[in-house]
Amino acid sequence: MKPLDIARADTLARIIGVDVQSLQAIASHIDDYYIEDSTPKKSGELRILHKPRYILKIIQQNIRKMLSGVPLPDCVYGWVKGKSIKSAVEPHCNSKYIYCFDIHSYFDSVHPARVYVLLTKRLKCTPPIARLITILSTYKKGLPQGSPCSPVLANLVLFDFDVSLSFYAAKHGILYSRLGDDIILSSDHKLLEITHIVTSELRRYGLSINPNKTQIGKPQLSGIKVLGVVIGTGISISRQYRRNLRAILHNAQKTGLEAQNRDSRYDFRKHLSGRIAFIEMFNAAEGQKLRKILVDIQN
């Protein structure tokens, strides 16, 4: 892992673009710089977000840029420029067995102490600098959902986990990918110990798998749904996902977009455009038809 080697507060301030006094003042009153919000999950429960106010958001964006220069293992696909869901799942398409695990409450479970250790031990920041960055990038005993730098920190905290699992996979003829909180392993032979290995490795980082989201099977027989796509004899978007999006667009042609914005999303058109882009990634023709419908809807 490439170190940052930041020893002085003025060096950090120059990188982040905010003076030392302001950084320290914000860190001293960090509770004042977050706005609590929520967004619905697919399960119907609410996902609690802690969104940084403008100045803290700028700081966190620059922390993200600073940390994005640290190379990640090849197996990491989430929040990495040039990589996507498609590139994460494609290597697994021809395997006989696929094992998918979900990291439970990923961001919330990354304790500030682990971020501090990452910054001091691996990135070679001095303790005062590591402490300041930790305060500016973590909140309420975890990584805040809504912060620009939470994804890159989440990836870096699992750097050794990814290296260890990649080494194990290569040794045993297994393919391994991680995209955010989704862990995918596949092989042409059964992996009888893999659940125990993944669970044990995650425990070293204070993390655990969500057993309700674990999927194990033979994709070419029954298909495995992971990351919103179905891996079978090929890769496709689930019928339910496509049907739901078509229904929203069809109804919006009659009622307008906002009448279909049941979850009160801030920019519903942008949200739908993102969902269409997801379909275009796997089926360009279908995605282009849906995009034309969206463009033709006036409001």
Side-chain angles (χ1 to χ4, degrees):
M1 184 183 290
K2 180 182 176 182
L4 295 176
D5 280 327
I6 301 175
R8 295 165 53 90
D10 56 348
T11 303
L12 178 66
R14 187 167 59 253
I15 293 171
I16 292 179
V18 177
D19 63 88
V20 174
Q21 291 75 18
S22 295
L23 291 178
Q24 293 172 337
I26 292 168
S28 298
H29 300 87
I30 199 68
D31 287 347
D32 298 335
Y33 290 89
Y34 282 99
I35 301 169
E36 187 170 299
D37 198 359
S38 63
T39 184
K41 298 180 182 180
K42 291 181 181 179
S43 63
E45 299 177 356
L46 289 178
R47 185 188 308 279
I48 303 301
L49 305 176
H50 291 103
K51 297 180 178 179
R53 295 185 184 276
Y54 179 75
I55 183 60
L56 180 57
K57 184 177 181 180
I58 296 299
I59 291 169
Q60 291 176 344
Q61 285 174 339
N62 288 328
I63 290 174
R64 179 191 64 196
K65 290 177 184 176
M66 175 180 72
L67 295 173
S68 293
V70 180
L72 292 165
D74 291 340
C75 60
V76 180
Y77 289 82
W79 312 300
V80 177
K81 187 176 180 180
K83 293 187 176 182
S84 65
I85 290 174
K86 186 177 182 181
S87 61
V89 300
E90 272 185 336
H92 303 276
C93 278
N94 297 319
S95 297
K96 290 183 180 179
Y97 300 93
I98 291 186
Y99 300 75
C100 303
F101 303 97
D102 177 87
I103 302 174
H104 179 65
S105 299
Y106 186 21
F107 283 14
D108 293 339
S109 300
V110 177
H111 195 276
R114 296 194 180 276
V115 174
Y116 177 80
V117 169
L118 166 74
L119 291 164
T120 53
K121 303 297 184 184
R122 301 306 303 269
L123 297 178
K124 306 303 180 183
C125 295
T126 59
I129 296 301
R131 193 173 300 113
L132 182 57
I133 296 174
T134 299
I135 294 171
L136 293 169
S137 61
T138 64
Y139 189 60
K140 292 188 179 294
K141 298 183 179 181
L143 295 174
Q145 300 200 45
S147 163
C149 62
S150 288
V152 67
L153 279 169
N155 271 342
L156 288 172
V157 163
L158 282 187
F159 188 98
D160 288 342
F161 169 85
D162 290 319
V163 170
S164 177
L165 218 55
S166 293
F167 179 79
Y168 176 86
K171 185 177 178 181
H172 293 86
I174 301 168
L175 297 174
Y176 167 57
S177 305
R178 183 175 64 80
L179 195 147
D181 56 3
D182 289 283
I183 293 169
I184 312 171
L185 299 111
S186 66
S187 176
D188 287 337
H189 56 276
K190 287 185 178 181
L191 308 177
L192 301 178
E193 300 293 323
I194 202 63
T195 300
H196 171 72
I197 290 167
V198 171
T199 301
S200 299
E201 285 293 316
L202 283 176
R203 192 179 297 125
R204 294 174 54 199
Y205 303 88
L207 301 172
S208 60
I209 63 171
N210 183 344
N212 296 325
K213 293 185 178 180
T214 296
Q215 295 186 78
I216 298 173
K218 298 181 179 181
Q220 295 182 4
L221 293 181
S222 58
I224 294 290
K225 186 176 179 181
V226 59
L227 300 170
V229 302
V230 178
I231 306 175
T233 52
I235 309 174
S236 61
I237 306 292
S238 72
R239 256 183 277 178
Q240 182 181 358
Y241 185 95
R242 299 189 336 259
R243 191 185 302 126
N244 177 260
L245 181 55
R246 284 198 299 266
I248 291 172
L249 293 172
H250 175 75
N251 292 332
Q253 287 176 310
K254 303 174 183 177
T255 66
L257 282 180
E258 282 310 308
Q260 301 303 313
N261 189 7
R262 308 267 167 80
D263 297 334
S264 301
R265 295 184 182 275
Y266 172 68
D267 189 337
F268 192 48
R269 182 179 291 274
K270 184 176 180 181
H271 167 73
L272 293 177
S273 180
R275 292 183 65 175
I276 291 171
F278 181 52
I279 290 176
E280 286 175 324
M281 193 184 303
F282 297 92
N283 188 324
E286 182 179 7
Q288 287 164 10
K289 289 179 183 177
L290 296 174
R291 189 166 296 284
K292 185 177 185 307
I293 295 173
L294 178 62
V295 169
D296 290 341
I297 297 172
Q298 296 301 313
N299 61 355

